Amino acid sequence: MKNNMIKIMLCIGLPLALIACSDKQESSGSPVANPNMGKTLASKNCVACHGLDGRGVTSDIPHLAAQAEVYLVASLKAYKEGKRTHAALRDMAAKMSNADIRNVAAYFAGLPPVKNPVKTESQDIHEKGKAASTACASCHGEDGNSVTQGIPSLAGQQPEYFISAVKSYLDGSRKFASKEKQAMVSALNQVDIESMALYFASQQPAQRKTPAVGNAAAGEPLSADCGACHGASGISSDSKIPTLAGQDAQYLVDAIKAYQDESRQQEAMHKTLAGSSLSDIQHVAAFYSIQSSRPAEEKTFSAKELADKCERCHAPGMENPMMIFPKIRGQNREYLIKALKSYRDNQRGSSPMHKMSLPYNEAVIESIATWYANQPAN
Ligand code: HEC
Ligand code: HEC
Ligand code: HEC
Ligand code: HEC
């Protein structure tokens, strides 16, 4: 008796993710879950959203079929205790006794896994980015290597800089080169933009034609003022700051003039270059344009490679005495996306998941979620 009390107190006090409690309760004689009673409850209260077969009726509602029983118990308790927030679930879980929770969890956990409809949509960021970038090739060239004077190459460029540049066209702070481009860029969504950013970043920048303007040797000493931000010989190592190496010289001249007259607004650039003469600008542009460049990112990871990081906890059969690992293969895609964003944005407690998802942008999250949704459920 005394032992049981201690166990129960421990269970209440310990974080949710501890697997030990429910196991030990079972073995120390607390009531065994009754899946038939769970089914009765499910057919009354859960069927509208999770089906009696445990299939989420829309893609943003999780499948419960064949989910780990301990995880189902833990998540219902998390709703009940307000650690996970979802209005409908919180109200429902609040009305459920611990026995109800055990029963309904046993019912759903005992069902065979459901199959997701096969998706044909690409799950890889590289393919997505490449597909979206074909629209830009008429000006920015194959793989982002422009051959037109005055038009920047995008190949090898830093990804966050690329994203902020695209945003600056969309918010009107930079002017679109043409109506055609405006229509193209406005049609892109966040995932397209991020996929393109990572795709272009991983492309090998080709050497541009020898500049018609300026004198590279005269530009070299002037570049001393730029290296702190743009990197030695113009290869930036900061994802927010553009690489200048190998860029078209005429474009560099135009861009610097735009900071001077503040049609492009960036204080550091305005201050650094406010007093430069046109010939200095041409020299420094010539210097950077002949520097050899390299991709800002080595490669764009495939969905499978991204998911590899998750497999050490989420691969079938993984166990850890300190954590409950939910099954995520074959889970609904929109639900996975939502769950990963809520960990990332710290709206759903779980420190290992927060750490995992913190650096993930929407393109990466979608790619991994699509991969897992397309795997057969285990
Ligand atoms: C109105 C629709 C609705 C009903 C009814 C409903 N659910 Fe849910 N359920 C959801 C949604 C949406 C989520 C995802 C919520 C979130 O993001 O936290 C969810 C999540 C869950 C989860 C967490 C799953 C996971 O993978 O983390 C469990 C467990 C669950 N529901 C069990 C139940 C049970 C048991 C019932 C019946 C007693 C029920 N739900 C009734 C919509 C519903
Ligand atoms: C009609 C030709 C044209 C097309 C098509 C075009 N661009 Fe551009 N783009 C330009 C020109 C010219 C510039 C440089 C002038 C400026 O600053 O806007 C530029 C600049 C950019 C820059 C800024 C680069 C930097 O280093 O700051 C980005 C980012 C960009 N384009 C993205 C795109 C994307 C993405 C597409 C396709 C969806 C696209 N462009 C299609 C002509 C074009
Ligand atoms: C304090 C940091 C800093 C210094 C120093 C600096 N830059 Fe920049 N530069 C930036 C940032 C940040 C941007 C991106 C601004 C934006 O988003 O428009 C930028 C953008 C540029 C661009 C536009 C590139 C493109 O693809 O459109 C050029 C060209 C440039 N810098 C040249 C120079 C030169 C030449 C020098 C030295 C004379 C210099 N910068 C010094 C921070 C700096
Ligand atoms: C160190 C172990 C660990 C790693 C690595 C890990 N996870 Fe998790 N994951 C967990 C734990 C523990 C939970 C349960 C947390 C909770 O109860 O909210 C979880 C929960 C989840 C959920 C919620 C499932 C549901 O039904 O609501 C998703 C989705 C998920 N992880 C996806 C991922 C993805 C994608 C990766 C790789 C980027 C990843 N995880 C890496 C341990 C891990």
Side-chain angles (χ1 to χ4, degrees):
M1 234 17 247
K2 201 173 167 202
N3 247 342
N4 257 345
M5 269 315 284
I6 292 172
K7 261 180 207 148
I8 289 165
M9 283 169 62
L10 270 178
C11 290
I12 293 167
L14 287 173
L16 266 175
L18 288 191
I19 204 165
C21 297
S22 46
D23 279 357
K24 288 200 178 130
Q25 271 177 13
E26 299 289 328
S27 60
S28 62
S30 69
V32 174
N34 181 333
N36 284 329
M37 289 176 77
K39 185 176 184 179
T40 310
L41 183 72
S43 54
K44 229 170 54 200
N45 291 340
C46 324
V47 65
C49 299
H50 296 287
L52 259 195
D53 58 355
R55 177 193 292 273
V57 297
T58 55
S59 183
D60 58 351
I61 299 181
H63 300 318
L64 303 179
Q67 181 56 278
E69 191 171 336
V70 281
Y71 174 70
L72 291 176
V73 170
S75 49
L76 285 167
K77 290 191 174 160
Y79 289 121
K80 190 171 173 154
E81 292 159 11
K83 289 183 186 147
R84 270 180 82 172
T85 47
H86 184 273
L89 265 297
R90 188 195 53 217
D91 294 349
M92 239 171 322
K95 291 190 200 114
M96 290 164 79
S97 67
N98 283 345
D100 289 340
I101 288 180
R102 273 201 307 274
N103 294 343
V104 82
Y107 170 68
F108 281 118
L111 295 172
V114 298
K115 274 203 191 86
N116 278 338
V118 177
K119 287 266 164 54
T120 47
E121 193 196 347
S122 162
Q123 57 190 20
D124 284 323
I125 292 175
H126 190 89
E127 281 169 35
K128 266 199 173 160
K130 190 180 170 98
S133 77
T134 53
C136 325
S138 59
C139 293
H140 290 288
E142 191 74 13
D143 307 329
N145 279 303
S146 164
V147 289
T148 313
Q149 211 189 2
I151 298 188
S153 288
L154 305 174
Q157 192 51 278
Q158 287 292 350
E160 286 186 59
Y161 172 71
F162 174 88
I163 293 169
S164 82
V166 169
K167 294 269 159 77
S168 64
Y169 292 111
L170 291 170
D171 72 18
S173 50
R174 279 175 79 169
K175 296 274 165 289
F176 281 110
S178 68
K179 279 261 182 290
E180 177 204 10
K181 174 163 174 177
Q182 179 165 18
M184 264 177 209
V185 174
S186 306
L188 302 169
N189 64 29
Q190 182 71 13
V191 170
D192 293 330
I193 295 169
E194 291 174 357
S195 302
M196 288 169 98
L198 291 168
Y199 166 72
F200 281 130
S202 70
Q203 296 307 299
Q204 181 64 48
Q207 198 62 54
R208 305 270 324 217
K209 274 213 234 66
T210 314
V213 293
N215 174 332
E220 182 165 13
L222 301 169
S223 75
D225 287 342
C226 326
C229 295
H230 290 284
S233 62
I235 300 180
S236 163
S237 55
D238 179 334
S239 181
K240 292 190 184 66
I241 298 186
T243 281
L244 307 177
Q247 189 54 285
D248 177 65
Q250 186 57 54
Y251 172 71
L252 292 175
V253 169
D254 295 343
I256 293 169
K257 288 202 288 199
Y259 292 113
Q260 281 189 324
D261 70 19
E262 293 189 281
S263 54
R264 272 179 82 172
Q265 299 205 336
Q266 217 284 336
E267 220 186 303
M269 285 298 301
H270 180 66
K271 273 198 189 134
T272 311
L273 289 142
S276 306
S277 66
L278 179 59
S279 58
D280 278 355
I281 295 173
Q282 289 173 335
H283 296 329
V284 83
F287 168 76
Y288 280 121
S289 75
I290 62 164
Q291 303 306 309
S292 61
S293 188
R294 62 164 184 260
E297 300 280 336
E298 246 169 67
K299 57 181 279 203
T300 331
F301 290 96
S302 69
K304 168 76 177 64
E305 288 166 319
L306 290 169
D308 276 346
K309 286 195 186 164
C310 320
E311 287 294 87
R312 81 190 151 90
C313 294
H314 290 289
M318 282 297 165
E319 280 185 34
N320 179 316
M322 301 301 287
M323 284 184 237
I324 296 171
F325 300 141
K327 296 181 185 175
I328 58 175
R329 282 180 153 65
Q331 186 51 284
N332 264 331
R333 178 174 177 272
E334 301 310 318
Y335 174 70
L336 290 172
I337 292 173
K338 201 172 89 175
L340 287 168
K341 285 187 189 165
S342 51
Y343 288 123
R344 182 193 62 188
D345 303 339
N346 229 350
Q347 289 162 351
R348 183 172 164 186
S350 168
S351 53
M353 284 308 301
H354 179 60
K355 261 187 240 141
M356 283 304 299
S357 51
L358 196 56
Y360 291 166
N361 64 26
E362 313 224 341
V364 171
I365 285 178
E366 269 208 8
S367 173
I368 301 178
T370 309
W371 189 83
Y372 273 112
N374 286 342
Q375 300 309 302
N378 53 298

